[in-house]
Amino acid sequence: MYSEKVMDHFQHPRNMGEIEDASGVGTVGNAKCGDIMRMYLDIDDDGIIQDVKFKTFGCGAAVATSSMATELVKGKNIQEALQVTNKAVMEALDGLPPVKVHCSLLAEEAIHAALWDYAEKHGIKIEGLKKPKSDIHEGEEDEEEEY
């Protein structure tokens, strides 16, 4: 059901943890399955992601996609990180079962949420970045946000 890469990233996740005083922190979730993903970015003055960590509450695929997403953005500039899609995360993991594709969407949204937080903290606009949703299914049933 899962590729060897998915199992490896689940059993030996890369970059798990927190970054104190992170440049940007993004938290996203999926109310339908209960997965929650938080991504921490440490971005230097040149806009390069020097370090990235994650904390994920969810299934093995959610942990694996978080882990792989951190590997894909580490050392990249902001624009390169913005180009990391759920498809890229899935391909890097040699695929996911169809019922777990939403996990890769969560990873993409977590990167975007952390970049959005970074932009907000620094009063900048990142070309191509849209305000993230807190729930990846937000807007499907109800347009109203709840806090």
Side-chain angles (χ1 to χ4, degrees):
M1 187 167 160
Y2 290 116
S3 72
E4 282 184 34
K5 279 189 184 176
V6 171
M7 292 306 294
D8 182 43
H9 276 266
F10 167 60
Q11 293 170 336
H12 310 286
R14 280 51 148 200
N15 307 305
M16 197 164 63
E18 295 179 44
I19 297 174
E20 276 191 44
D21 301 319
S23 308
V25 180
T27 304
V28 294
N30 181 334
K32 289 185 178 177
C33 71
D35 292 346
I36 299 170
M37 195 176 289
R38 179 169 288 157
M39 188 89 50
Y40 301 82
L41 300 176
D42 178 21
I43 303 171
D44 69 17
D45 294 338
D46 296 322
I48 305 296
I49 298 170
Q50 293 296 325
D51 198 11
V52 55
K53 301 271 187 213
F54 79 91
K55 281 191 149 183
T56 293
F57 176 83
C59 65
V63 172
T65 57
S66 303
S67 173
M68 182 55 83
T70 63
E71 291 284 277
L72 293 175
V73 300
K74 198 174 206 174
K76 302 280 194 294
N77 67 39
I78 291 167
Q79 280 304 319
E80 290 169 329
L82 194 54
Q83 302 309 312
V84 173
T85 63
N86 72 302
K87 188 171 185 238
V89 172
M90 283 196 301
E91 285 173 1
L93 287 168
D94 295 334
L96 285 173
V99 295
K100 295 298 181 180
V101 169
H102 68 273
C103 295
S104 63
L105 278 170
L106 214 53
E108 178 183 334
E109 287 295 320
I111 294 166
H112 290 186
L115 288 171
W116 181 269
D117 182 54
Y118 169 77
E120 292 275 290
K121 287 178 179 173
H122 290 82
I124 61 170
K125 183 177 179 350
I126 298 172
E127 196 63 39
L129 181 63
K130 295 183 179 94
K131 186 173 186 343
K133 301 169 180 176
S134 57
D135 183 319
I136 65 168
H137 290 290
E138 195 175 284
E140 284 183 6
E141 305 91 15
D142 189 347
E143 289 295 324
E144 216 172 283
E145 284 186 45
E146 292 183 29
Y147 292 96

